[in-house]
Amino acid sequence: AQRVAGSHGVYVVDLEFHGGAKHRILRIFIEKNADERRRLAAELEAGANVGTDPRPQDAGGVDRLAGVTHTDCEAFSRDFGTVLDVEDVIPGADYTLEVSSPGLDRKLRGMEDFRRFQGMLAKVQTFEPVAGNRYWQGWIGQVSEQGIRLELQGTAKKSAERRGQKAGKAAAPDVEIALSNIEK
């Protein structure tokens, strides 16, 4: 899957294989190459590729700064399905291949994902309580081999405002969570 994804400028985020002998589903979640998107965004900021439509586009007119498109999923599915069938990776002909983007509420799996999404808002559930709480929401701050720092300042106030309530006691400015303690 990674080999096929690389040839399409995407990479495999996650995969799931469900079902029994009669109805099996192979679900693959792909994402655009984040490094390539950052490089294109930097070029755009520097004034490269600026015309009437400043977004870098490929030959098909697809915005290369956008996330995974239906066309990306279709092309990956076609090529990967062919590889699966030719190499007989999944014995038998009865399976469904589904390819999609991981979506806005994607799961982060490991230190590299946390690094890529540094500065973004995340919800974290821990195995063991940290500072008396297992459920946290904050901006992903510093990421190290040991864990992550969630910056909590303002999250309680913003959450309360969204619910139409007054914010209570201010939350701590941040919390350290060990990677091994992150359940979800």
Side-chain angles (χ1 to χ4, degrees):
Q2 289 290 14
R3 186 179 69 222
V4 173
S7 69
H8 288 278
V10 298
Y11 66 95
V12 176
V13 172
D14 197 10
L15 65 102
E16 301 171 350
F17 190 60
H18 300 282
K22 299 242 184 216
H23 185 69
R24 298 172 293 169
I25 298 174
L26 175 58
R27 218 173 262 128
I28 299 189
F29 300 95
I30 61 174
E31 188 170 70
K32 286 279 177 92
N33 184 323
D35 293 332
E36 175 71 4
R37 290 172 68 190
R38 274 195 286 277
R39 185 186 64 75
L40 289 169
E43 282 181 13
L44 182 61
E45 279 185 28
N49 298 325
V50 176
T52 56
D53 183 0
R55 295 172 301 179
Q57 296 184 343
D58 65 15
V62 176
D63 185 352
R64 294 183 304 179
L65 289 177
V68 172
T69 64
H70 185 268
T71 305
D72 295 324
C73 293
E74 180 183 2
F76 176 84
S77 177
R78 182 183 56 248
D79 291 352
F80 186 58
T82 301
V83 169
L84 289 175
D85 294 342
V86 168
E87 295 181 8
D88 200 25
V89 176
I90 302 174
D94 294 334
Y95 73 92
T96 301
L97 175 61
E98 295 179 0
V99 179
S100 72
S101 126
L104 291 175
D105 43 340
R106 66 167 293 160
K107 294 178 183 171
L108 302 182
R109 302 189 186 276
M111 184 178 50
E112 287 306 312
D113 275 352
F114 284 106
R115 281 195 174 132
R116 283 189 28 243
F117 289 94
Q118 215 166 350
M120 303 298 286
L121 189 61
K123 291 181 182 179
V124 178
Q125 180 178 333
T126 61
F127 290 109
E128 297 295 324
V130 175
N133 195 357
R134 287 189 55 224
Y135 300 92
W136 295 94
Q137 179 174 320
W139 286 270
I140 300 171
Q142 183 180 356
V143 178
S144 69
E145 299 285 332
Q146 292 74 36
I148 64 168
R149 174 177 295 193
L150 276 185
E151 298 170 359
L152 306 174
Q153 195 161 3
T155 56
K157 181 180 177 184
K158 288 178 185 174
S159 295
E161 287 171 357
R162 274 188 239 122
R163 291 189 310 265
Q165 302 170 344
K166 280 190 167 184
K169 189 173 145 186
D174 55 26
V175 64
E176 300 278 339
I177 302 174
L179 285 176
S180 61
N181 192 22
I182 297 175
E183 180 178 354
K184 182 176 167 186

